[in-house]
Amino acid sequence: VYAFEPSPATADRLAANVALNSLPYVEVWRVGVGRAAGHAVLVESDISQTVSLRDGASSPGAGASVEVVALDDLVRDGRIAPPDFVKMD
């Protein structure tokens, strides 16, 4: 299981839970996923506890810059196995 999480705080909680529950088959990646590798802006909502990734060019100064990877690149480079199932939210 590859868990991709661009939010540092959420990635920390996820990694702690993976360790606490002894889940050696879960690998936490502290990056976002997009159609192309690069960077995006991580924007946190003031109203709810949600975050979203936005193109940095269209949202300057709106949040923290985070790395984004493309799943196709990771598979092509042999860094992850081709996925059988993808769940995104």
Side-chain angles (χ1 to χ4, degrees), residues 1-84:
V1 175
Y2 304 108
F4 296 90
E5 179 51 62
S7 168
T10 304
D12 288 346
R13 285 193 302 275
L14 175 59
N17 277 300
V18 167
L20 178 67
N21 291 289
S22 300
L23 303 173
Y25 53 85
V26 177
E27 184 177 328
V28 178
W29 290 64
R30 297 168 182 270
V31 296
V33 173
R35 69 176 166 240
H39 286 83
V41 175
L42 184 70
V43 180
E44 297 186 44
S45 171
D46 292 334
I47 300 168
S48 65
Q49 294 182 353
T50 61
V51 297
S52 62
L53 288 177
R54 297 187 185 161
D55 180 342
S58 63
S59 303
S65 178
V66 296
E67 182 181 0
V68 173
V69 297
L71 293 181
D72 289 340
D73 293 346
L74 297 179
V75 171
R76 183 194 63 234
D77 296 343
R79 297 176 66 195
I80 66 170
D84 294 320

